Amino acid sequence: AAATADTAAEDATVAAGASDEAAATKIQAVYRGNAAQKDLAKDVPDSGARPNPMEFVADGSVAKLGMTFHEKPPGYVKVKNCTRGGWAESIGIQPGDKIISIDGDDLQDMSPDDFVAYCKRRPAQFLVEQESSEEAVRAEEDAAATKLQAVYRGNAARKGFGKV
């Protein structure tokens, strides 16, 4: 009888864990669905134009750019980090901004080796699309929803939910 009670308690724990997991997944899905609906509700036509591109020039006095990237071309390059007090930070470049071109050459068609060479040139003219505050907020909210779900799953795993 004790073994049957233990099995019933374990079955209830697994069921509770599964329903909690479903709830965590649903919370994340609802958040993402609401974010998508907000995007669909916008009445702004897509002209294909990039918002706010800005030009920055690294002249001969700039030894290092003071930024790292998520990836290299081909394709636009997203800024990963800016060195505190470095050139990029001092001119207003922030993580999440995208490098569109260097010296007028589009990064969509640039090789990784050419990108490195262009970044070392002086002067070097960068066309940068700055991440809008709305995009930044959306990215932070999405990351928070994902982290919430990951924390829940980690806690559930430590408590033994999901054991068969």
Side-chain angles (χ1 to χ4, degrees):
T4 305
D6 287 343
T7 302
E10 187 174 301
D11 289 346
T13 300
V14 169
S19 67
D20 287 347
E21 170 69 17
T25 301
K26 188 173 183 177
I27 288 169
Q28 189 176 37
V30 167
Y31 164 75
R32 289 187 170 148
N34 288 342
Q37 285 177 351
K38 286 178 185 175
D39 283 345
L40 292 174
K42 289 183 182 173
D43 227 4
V44 179
D46 183 12
S47 66
R50 292 185 207 104
N52 71 24
M54 301 185 70
E55 285 186 11
F56 301 102
V57 176
D59 61 21
S61 69
V62 177
K64 291 189 174 196
L65 297 176
M67 58 183 160
T68 59
F69 308 100
H70 284 283
E71 66 282 316
K72 290 181 183 174
Y76 300 137
V77 176
K78 203 169 208 179
V79 175
K80 184 175 183 179
N81 292 307
C82 293
T83 305
R84 187 175 299 266
W87 175 78
E89 184 188 66
S90 72
I91 61 167
I93 293 177
Q94 299 177 357
D97 290 352
K98 284 187 232 171
I99 309 298
I100 305 300
S101 69
I102 303 175
D103 291 338
D105 290 332
D106 195 308
L107 269 61
Q108 290 285 52
D109 304 317
M110 188 177 287
S111 74
D113 290 338
D114 285 346
F115 174 72
V116 171
Y118 274 69
C119 285
K120 292 179 179 179
R121 275 195 213 170
R122 298 297 180 268
Q125 181 180 18
F126 293 84
L127 184 63
V128 178
E129 180 182 293
Q130 295 190 309
E131 183 176 59
S132 74
S133 59
E134 183 178 313
E135 288 171 335
V137 167
R138 187 176 306 125
E140 286 177 19
E141 288 173 346
D142 193 45
T146 301
K147 187 173 183 178
L148 174 70
Q149 190 176 39
V151 167
Y152 167 76
R153 286 180 176 159
N155 288 341
R158 281 191 292 283
K159 290 179 183 176
F161 291 156
K163 287 185 179 176
V164 178

